[in-house]
């Protein structure tokens, strides 16, 4: 195989394999045979002439690349492989990498670099990559020699799994065709993760719960998954305790149609204290204690409450106000507690019943987000994965559309926009048999709108429900609440999401009426699991008058 540079002529059929071939073997060994990328010139040597068993997925912006990979890794439970182009590519992906880190999704990210042989002269496209995306990567590798690259990629897989986030490897473009050498990669070929149960600490937890007069449970993203849902549900029923979802959670930690589900904790301290008032023991499972926004004075929880935290993430305990924190997995801990705590009478109904359906708007009245959510709740298949990125109407979505199956809800815990649209594509790629719906604001969708091309090109059958109010409604509401006067940003009602979607190859429908929306959802939701092409519903709605 040859390149334009005669110094890089390498016979890939020679007995000693190349770095490129050795890395392909690492990818196969770890099940990372789908490559998510938006390549540049520093990636040509790596990507051209890929073997048939490696599947390449292009996105038109690096935020969409990483968002798709994050969705895929979430759906499959395996690290996804990402290839980015030197400085511009890595910088464009920074927000999406921050989301992957906060959502605790493992990614192996190879970042291209200029030719190693003239890096000392700061050539064109040489990347100053160290620290470019801060400390969001769980690990960053700069292999000292070309032959160290395969081992560094294997280690990145190890670091991504154990650190539960993106691990980066920077690879100069001339490394790929160099001899790989014979050294075994300094990372295990198979990583199995499992924390032991709490052992003697189970007795301490059980005693605190048994002595509680009125315990309450708060669940978080780390309680998502079939075994966690089953164990948490059984424990909550035995304790007779209501169950709240953490604020700003990336995933649902409990079946939200269960009678014990109390709702989502609000994003302000005073409201959290009001929600948890009267409960003397607060058991937090798989969540930080607690993520809040905006700032308010006062304590996070009632002064008379004892907070017990069980989390698999040590860093969640570093900024926790829990009285006692335990680093352990949720499911085995709950299973161990089931045999130690006494059964008590439970709550027969939710502390916060689901919102009553809205009456359809009268003639001349606009649709509201609640109307859209009521129709979705009525028609969504139970196993739907719903991706949310509609900040101004998120509380309304939570009140009206419960997550009813493990992995049924996904959002960006970091709060940055541009995640939801590409994440839905990656989720459908990774879980093709499940229905996938993304609920997006029109403003939010524009941060990742290029992803619709990937959805159309790769025939990804996700449904994109876009709530179009022609502006940044969450910003408008926050500006109003600040009392500082009129905000300087304009609306963007001229933008047609349906028109953009069609221009990117997607089937799209603009909807403004209740009957029209009901008919569209009735047509599409029952067959959503089997869709083989994307659909965008661009729904004209009035902005919600309040947030929170």
């Amino acid at each position: 195989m040859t390149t334009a540079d005669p110094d890089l002529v390498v016979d890939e059929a020679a007995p000693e394999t190349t770095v490129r071939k050795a890395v392909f073997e690492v990818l196969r060994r770890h099940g990372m045979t789908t490559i998510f990328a938006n390549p540049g010139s520093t990636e040509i040597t790596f990507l051209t002439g890929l073997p048939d068993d490696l599947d390449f997925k292009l996105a038109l912006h690096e935020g969409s690349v990483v968002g798709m990979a994050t969705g895929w890794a979430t759906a499959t439970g395996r690290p996804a492989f990402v290839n980015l182009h030197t400085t511009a590519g890595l910088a464009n992906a920074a927000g999406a990498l921050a989301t992957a880190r906060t959502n605790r999704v493992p990614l192996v990210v190879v970042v291209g670099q200029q030719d190693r042989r003239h890096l000392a002269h700061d050539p064109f496209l040489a990347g100053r990559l160290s620290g470019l995306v801060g400390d969001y990567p769980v690990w960053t590798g700069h292999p000292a020699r070309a032959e160290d690259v395969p081992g560094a990629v294997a280690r990145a897989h190890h670091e991504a799994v154990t650190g539960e986030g993106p691990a980066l490897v920077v690879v100069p473009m001339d490394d790929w065709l160099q001899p790989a050498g014979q050294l075994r990669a300094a990372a295990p070929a198979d990583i199995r993760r499992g924390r032991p149960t709490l052992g003697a600490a189970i007795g301490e937890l059980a005693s605190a719960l048994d002595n509680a007069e009125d315990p309450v449970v708060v669940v978080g993203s780390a309680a998502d998954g079939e075994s966690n849902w089953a164990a948490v549900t059984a424990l909550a029923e035995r304790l007779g305790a209501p169950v709240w979802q953490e604020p700003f959670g990336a995933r649902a930690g409990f079946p939200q149609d269960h009678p014990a589900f109390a709702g989502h904790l609000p994003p302000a301290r005073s409201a959290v204290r009001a929600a948890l008032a009267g409960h003397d023991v607060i058991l937090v499972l798989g969540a930080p204690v607690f993520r809040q926004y905006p700032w308010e004075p006062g304590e996070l929880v009632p002064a008379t409450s004892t907070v017990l935290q069980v989390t698999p993430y040590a860093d969640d305990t570093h900024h926790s106000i829990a009285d006692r924190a335990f680093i352990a997995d949720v499911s085995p801990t709950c299973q161990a507690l089931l045999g130690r705590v006494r059964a008590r009478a439970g709550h027969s109904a939710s502390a916060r019943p689901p919102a009553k359906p809205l009456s359809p708007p009268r003639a001349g009245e606009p649709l509201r987000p609640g109307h859209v959510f009521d129709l979705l709740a009525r028609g969504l298949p139970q196993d739907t994965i719903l991706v949310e990125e509609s900040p101004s109407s998120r509380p309304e979505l939570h009140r009206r559309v419960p997550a009813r199956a493990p992995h049924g809800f996904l959002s960006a815990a970091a709060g940055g926009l541009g995640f939801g649209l590409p994440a839905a594509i990656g989720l459908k790629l990774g879980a093709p048999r499940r229905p996938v719906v993304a609920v997006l604001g029109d403003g939010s969708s524009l941060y990742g709108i290029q992803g619709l091309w990937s959805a159309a090109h790769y025939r990804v059958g996700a449904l994109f429900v876009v709530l179009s109010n022609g502006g940044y409604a969450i910003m408008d509401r926050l500006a109003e609440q600040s009392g500082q006067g009129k905000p300087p940003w304009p609306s963007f009602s001229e933008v047609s999401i349906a028109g953009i979607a069609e221009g990117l190859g997607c089937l799209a429908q603009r909807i403004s009426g209740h009957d029209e929306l009901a008919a569209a959802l009735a047509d599409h939701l029952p067959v959503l699991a089997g869709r083989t092409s994307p659909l965008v519903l661009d729904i004209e709605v009035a902005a919600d008058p309040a947030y929170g």
Side-chain angles (χ1 to χ4, degrees):
M1 180 176 180
T2 62
T3 71
D5 187 339
D7 291 334
L8 289 183
V9 176
V10 176
D11 180 7
E12 290 201 354
E16 187 171 38
T17 192
T18 61
V19 166
R20 181 175 185 259
K21 284 189 172 183
V23 167
F24 290 162
E25 286 304 311
V26 173
L27 301 187
R28 294 179 180 112
R29 185 187 317 139
H30 292 297
M32 297 187 295
T33 54
T34 300
I35 298 174
F36 296 92
N38 180 271
S41 57
T42 53
E43 289 68 58
I44 293 294
T45 313
F46 174 54
L47 292 174
T48 52
L50 281 177
D52 291 341
D53 65 324
L54 298 182
D55 187 21
F56 182 88
K57 300 296 185 189
L58 173 69
L60 303 185
H61 184 272
E62 290 83 357
S64 294
V65 170
V66 175
M68 287 167 59
T70 302
W72 186 92
T74 301
T76 63
R78 304 196 309 271
F81 184 80
V82 175
N83 189 210
L84 298 176
H85 173 54
T86 191
T87 308
L90 182 58
N92 283 346
L97 291 169
T99 294
R101 176 66 183 270
T102 309
N103 279 29
R104 301 186 184 276
V105 177
L107 304 177
V108 174
V109 183
V110 166
V111 182
Q113 176 61 293
Q114 247 288 1
D115 193 303
R116 186 187 292 273
R117 296 167 298 179
H118 65 167
L119 278 176
H121 305 296
D122 193 24
F124 178 68
L125 285 181
R128 299 179 184 180
L129 305 175
S130 296
L132 182 61
V133 290
D135 59 359
Y136 285 112
V138 297
W139 178 77
T140 300
H142 294 267
R145 306 171 302 172
E147 62 196 85
D148 297 329
V149 170
V153 174
R155 177 173 174 181
H157 178 272
H158 183 283
E159 297 279 359
V161 171
T162 57
E164 295 176 294
L168 272 57
V169 182
V170 177
V171 182
M173 60 190 294
D174 59 312
D175 281 6
W176 294 111
L177 300 184
Q178 299 303 315
Q182 303 299 322
L183 290 178
R184 182 171 178 169
D190 186 25
I191 306 169
R192 299 180 184 273
R193 180 169 191 162
R195 296 177 183 81
T197 56
L198 291 172
I202 288 291
E204 183 181 351
L205 272 171
S207 177
L209 291 169
D210 272 347
N211 291 329
E213 293 185 7
D214 192 0
V216 63
V217 176
V218 178
V219 294
S221 298
D224 194 12
E226 290 185 15
S227 63
N228 287 328
W229 274 36
V232 173
T233 300
L235 180 62
E237 290 173 348
R238 187 164 183 83
L239 293 173
V243 180
W244 289 87
Q245 175 73 35
E246 66 167 320
F248 300 111
R251 294 161 70 170
F254 188 79
Q256 295 172 0
D257 56 350
H258 190 282
F261 185 64
H264 293 73
L265 281 181
R269 290 172 177 244
S270 58
V272 170
R273 293 196 301 271
L276 300 179
H279 297 290
D280 53 339
V281 171
I282 302 168
L283 176 63
V284 182
L285 300 171
V289 188
F290 293 112
R291 187 176 287 119
Q292 292 289 288
Y293 179 84
W295 178 85
E296 273 191 353
E299 295 291 339
L300 270 171
V301 299
T304 56
S305 298
T306 297
V307 180
L308 308 173
Q309 181 184 25
V310 177
T311 175
Y313 308 128
D315 58 328
D316 271 351
T317 69
H318 300 334
H319 46 79
S320 171
I321 56 92
D323 296 282
R324 279 163 283 176
F326 305 88
I327 301 170
D329 286 327
V330 171
S331 178
T333 301
C334 291
Q335 290 169 357
L337 284 171
L338 280 170
R340 301 288 296 270
V341 298
R342 62 183 174 89
R344 60 175 87 196
H347 295 258
S348 58
S350 302
R352 186 180 190 182
K356 294 181 179 179
L358 297 174
S359 299
R362 291 175 292 188
E365 290 183 342
L367 283 168
R368 291 164 48 193
H371 293 119
V372 180
F373 300 151
D374 285 343
L375 291 172
L376 280 174
R378 191 168 74 190
L380 282 176
Q382 180 160 340
D383 63 339
T384 298
I385 302 174
L386 190 147
V387 185
E388 176 274 328
E389 194 168 88
S390 179
S392 64
S393 54
R394 182 176 186 176
E396 190 77 356
L397 174 70
H398 284 327
R399 283 192 285 267
R400 297 181 182 278
V401 187
R404 297 180 292 165
H407 308 303
F409 175 82
L410 182 67
S411 187
L417 299 179
F419 168 74
L421 191 153
I425 300 168
L427 283 162
K428 187 64 176 177
L429 287 170
R433 294 181 179 85
R434 289 188 67 173
V436 175
V437 176
V439 175
L440 313 167
D442 52 351
S444 300
S445 72
L446 292 172
Y447 285 83
I449 200 72
Q450 305 93 337
L452 289 178
W453 176 87
S454 300
H457 184 82
Y458 296 111
R459 300 189 62 79
V460 177
L463 173 64
F464 300 92
V465 176
V466 181
L467 306 178
S468 293
N469 54 41
Y472 293 121
I474 180 63
M475 294 294 293
D476 294 339
R477 298 295 84 77
L478 292 173
E480 290 168 5
Q481 293 170 16
S482 74
Q484 294 181 214
K486 183 180 179 180
W489 50 85
S491 64
F492 45 86
S493 56
E494 306 91 340
V495 173
S496 168
I497 299 298
I500 296 172
E502 290 172 348
L504 291 168
C506 280
L507 180 66
Q509 183 178 354
R510 176 72 173 182
I511 293 175
S512 59
H514 190 271
D515 291 345
E516 185 184 9
L517 176 60
L521 293 178
D523 286 342
H524 298 298
L525 292 181
V527 296
L528 187 55
R531 279 195 71 89
T532 56
S533 62
L535 173 65
V536 176
L537 298 182
D538 180 11
I539 306 169
E540 185 178 346
V541 297
D544 276 338
Y547 171 74

